[in-house]
Amino acid sequence: MLSTFRRIFSAEKQKTMPDCQAMSDSGLTINELPNEILSLIFTNISGEALCKQVILTCKKWKDIIDSSPFWIDKLLHDSRASPNLLKFLAQSDCLDPKHLYFKNPFVKNLIKNPCAENGYDFWDNRSLLSIIDLGSRGSVDYYNKEYLKKHCRNSKYIQEQNGFKIEPDDYLKRDPYDSNGKPVRNYATTYFKCTKYQLIDLYDEGIDERMLKKLRPRIEIKDSYAPRHDCGSEYHLNVVLFDEKFNKIEGVKFDKVFPQWSVPEWHEFKQVIENYADSLRYILFEHCGKDTQFWAGHYGIKLTNSSVRLIFD
C-alpha cells in the first residue's frame, strides 16, 4: 500500500481534488487507505511539512494530523519525548502532544550555543544584572530581545568579542564536541572582567504558569570553567529567577579565584533549584571572569558547557 500511496501522490499531485479522491491506475483511492496506515506514513514526514502543507490537502488528512494520538506517535517516532515523560505529563493533566512536539523544554539544554558551536550567537556580552541594578527595568525587554536579535546573531566566524576569545585558535576546523561528547571549544577571558549572559523565557520555551505550578520541575544549573597554569584567574556565576515583571525570586551566586600555578583542569559547577515561587517566568544565566595579573592576551578563566535544564521525576 505504501508504494501505491507514493505512486498516487506523485502522479496525481497536480490533479488532487479537495476531497482527496485522486485515483491510481488500480482504482484505489487514497482515502480507502485505513487511517492507521495514513498515520504511519505521516509520522515519516517532518512536523513542519505536516502543519504547513499536508494538513491542507483534505479534511480526512487534517483530522488525522490534528489528533492527539497522532502527535503522541510522532513524538515517540522522532524521539522527542520518552514514554515516561508522556505518562508524567498525562497524569499531571499537562499533556498537549502537538505543542510538546514543537516546544519541549524537558529534553533540551535551555542555554543555546553553550560551547561556541556558533561563535557568540545568543550570548549578550554585557551584564543584565548591572542594567537591573541601575533601576532601568523598563528597558529589560528591549535589552534582551531586540538587542539580541540585532547584535547577537551570525557570529560564527568571529573569534574575539568584548574580551572573550574562542579557543582553540583553529576552532572553525574543529567540532564543538569530541567523539565522547566532551566540549572542545571554550570562551577564554582577558585582563578585564568579561561577562556574557542569556535570559531564558520559560513561556517562550514551552512551559507556562499553569505547567510550572502543576509540574514543579527542578532546575539544574551546570557550568564548566578552568584556569591556566601560568596566570591567576577568577570565575563568577550568577543565576537569578525572575517573575514576569523582573522582580527577583531567588538566585544562585558562586565565585572562585585561582592563584598562579594552579592545575589547569576543568571544574564543574552544579546546583539544583527547587521549591521556587509559582510566579517564576525568567531564568538569568550570567557568568564572567578574567585574569588576576592584567596580562595582555587571554590568560583568564575559560568557560564552556553551560546548561540550564528542567528535570522531572
Side-chain angles (χ1 to χ4, degrees):
M1 282 192 176
L2 181 56
S3 60
T4 301
F5 175 87
R6 288 172 176 166
R7 187 170 62 253
I8 294 169
F9 191 83
S10 59
E12 302 294 328
K13 184 177 181 181
Q14 301 300 323
K15 297 184 288 183
T16 301
M17 296 185 294
D19 64 353
C20 291
Q21 298 301 314
M23 302 293 292
S24 71
D25 294 339
S26 65
L28 178 68
T29 67
I30 295 176
N31 276 353
E32 288 177 341
L33 292 172
N35 284 4
E36 293 79 8
I37 299 298
L38 286 173
S39 181
L40 181 62
I41 295 170
F42 292 162
T43 57
N44 290 279
I45 301 174
S46 72
E48 290 74 14
L50 286 170
C51 293
K52 293 180 180 180
Q53 299 170 346
V54 180
I55 197 171
L56 303 176
T57 306
C58 65
K59 185 178 184 302
K60 179 174 181 176
W61 291 14
K62 182 179 185 300
D63 289 343
I64 293 173
I65 295 170
D66 277 340
S67 68
S68 292
F70 170 76
W71 287 103
I72 290 176
D73 291 341
K74 181 69 172 164
L75 282 162
L76 295 172
H77 177 271
D78 292 358
S79 299
R80 294 203 177 191
S82 67
N84 286 341
L85 174 59
L86 295 175
K87 181 180 179 180
F88 176 74
L89 293 176
Q91 291 174 341
S92 303
D93 192 27
C94 291
L95 180 59
D96 182 344
K98 184 176 180 180
H99 178 79
L100 188 66
Y101 182 86
F102 291 102
K103 285 192 173 183
N104 186 349
F106 298 100
V107 297
K108 65 181 181 180
N109 183 2
L110 299 180
I111 293 290
K112 301 175 177 64
N113 189 28
C115 300
E117 303 98 310
N118 295 291
Y120 297 89
D121 284 8
F122 304 103
W123 291 103
D124 191 330
N125 299 140
R126 298 181 292 178
S127 172
L128 182 61
L129 285 176
S130 298
I131 295 294
I132 293 176
D133 288 343
L134 290 173
S136 304
R137 293 190 179 182
S139 66
V140 167
D141 215 29
Y142 164 81
Y143 182 80
N144 175 51
K145 295 180 180 178
E146 299 305 320
Y147 182 88
L148 287 177
K149 287 179 183 178
K150 183 176 181 180
H151 298 284
C152 302
R153 294 291 189 275
N154 304 315
S155 63
K156 182 177 181 179
Y157 300 104
I158 298 175
Q159 187 174 20
E160 297 186 30
Q161 188 176 94
N162 291 6
F164 288 101
K165 178 183 178 181
I166 297 176
E167 295 181 335
D169 290 340
D170 63 344
Y171 73 102
L172 286 175
K173 298 179 181 179
R174 303 197 191 188
D175 292 330
Y177 304 91
D178 64 20
S179 59
N180 297 316
K182 295 182 179 180
V184 173
R185 303 182 193 177
N186 66 82
Y187 298 96
T189 59
T190 188
Y191 59 88
F192 59 84
K193 185 178 286 187
C194 307
T195 303
K196 60 187 179 76
Y197 85 88
Q198 288 189 31
L199 184 65
I200 300 165
D201 185 342
L202 293 177
Y203 292 5
D204 284 350
E205 295 295 338
I207 183 165
D208 58 21
E209 183 178 6
R210 173 176 168 272
M211 293 178 71
L212 282 170
K213 288 180 179 180
K214 298 198 72 171
L215 302 179
R216 307 298 299 174
R218 292 173 288 124
I219 303 169
E220 180 190 76
I221 311 296
K222 287 185 179 181
D223 199 24
S224 295
Y225 56 98
R228 288 176 62 104
H229 176 63
D230 53 356
C231 185
S233 58
E234 59 183 61
Y235 165 78
H236 307 281
L237 172 69
N238 280 288
V239 177
V240 184
L241 309 187
F242 294 109
D243 65 15
E244 64 179 357
K245 295 183 178 180
F246 287 94
N247 296 308
K248 181 178 178 181
I249 297 174
E250 63 178 283
V252 173
K253 184 177 175 62
F254 178 78
D255 305 285
K256 179 78 172 181
V257 177
F258 294 91
Q260 191 178 28
W261 315 125
S262 293
V263 177
E265 62 184 8
W266 286 102
H267 302 260
E268 182 182 71
F269 172 86
K270 179 180 178 180
Q271 185 162 331
V272 175
I273 304 173
E274 48 190 337
N275 299 322
Y276 45 82
D278 292 339
S279 56
L280 171 65
R281 175 169 180 176
Y282 298 101
I283 302 175
L284 170 67
F285 182 98
E286 182 172 303
H287 59 183
C288 60
K290 68 183 189 72
D291 78 46
T292 59
Q293 297 171 227
F294 303 98
W295 289 3
H298 295 82
Y299 294 88
I301 205 76
K302 304 174 189 295
L303 308 169
T304 193
N305 212 30
S306 309
S307 73
V308 174
R309 296 182 184 275
L310 302 181
I311 309 296
F312 72 97
D313 293 319

